[in-house]
Amino acid sequence: QVQLVESGGGLVQTGGSLRLSCAASGNIFSIDSMAWYRQAPGKQRELVARITGSGNTYYADFVKGRFTISRNNAENTLSLQMNSLKPEDTAVYYCNLRTSIIMGAQAYWGKGTLVTVSS
């Protein structure tokens, strides 16, 4: 089993910045990718950014140029640097870890951390 714990959420004004972190523990190996998702009230969960084991990054159009995803493999942590925040970014942000197909392509989720951007 894998456990994911997010931190760093909070209240920030429009234009401000936050840095989210995700600590992974447990039976971790053969990681295909890690990602940040978010879910706003009344909306479906959506992908924000993903980083593969080889370091390739992918961003949703609505955060490209503002958010940066990074991973520290030695510490088993995932980060999301969020700049130029907008009220539309208000959501619960979730850390996601996906194992390789060799390990069954399992997906693991954290409980989320709330980001609130005030106008």
Side-chain angles (χ1 to χ4, degrees):
Q1 294 294 307
V2 174
Q3 294 80 44
L4 303 173
V5 180
E6 303 96 336
S7 62
L11 175 64
V12 66
Q13 292 186 336
T14 297
S17 299
L18 283 174
R19 186 175 180 87
L20 306 182
S21 295
C22 171
S25 62
N27 188 20
I28 304 172
F29 65 103
S30 296
I31 297 174
D32 177 73
S33 66
M34 296 187 73
W36 288 97
Y37 287 73
R38 72 185 187 187
Q39 186 168 22
K43 298 182 179 180
Q44 292 185 319
R45 188 172 299 187
E46 61 185 355
L47 175 67
V48 176
R50 180 175 295 279
I51 184 166
T52 69
S54 60
N56 294 319
T57 58
Y58 303 88
Y59 296 93
D61 288 341
F62 52 81
V63 303
K64 192 171 296 183
R66 299 189 297 125
F67 293 7
T68 302
I69 189 170
S70 61
R71 179 181 169 189
N72 187 321
N73 292 335
E75 298 181 356
N76 292 321
T77 57
L78 179 74
S79 297
L80 183 69
Q81 178 65 48
M82 305 185 295
N83 299 324
S84 302
L85 284 163
K86 308 173 181 179
E88 304 93 280
D89 296 318
T90 296
V92 176
Y93 284 72
Y94 296 90
C95 180
N96 165 260
L97 183 153
R98 188 173 66 194
T99 65
S100 69
I101 59 174
I102 300 298
M103 298 303 299
Q106 297 296 302
Y108 298 90
W109 297 91
K111 291 184 172 62
T113 185
L114 177 63
V115 171
T116 303
V117 184
S118 63
S119 60

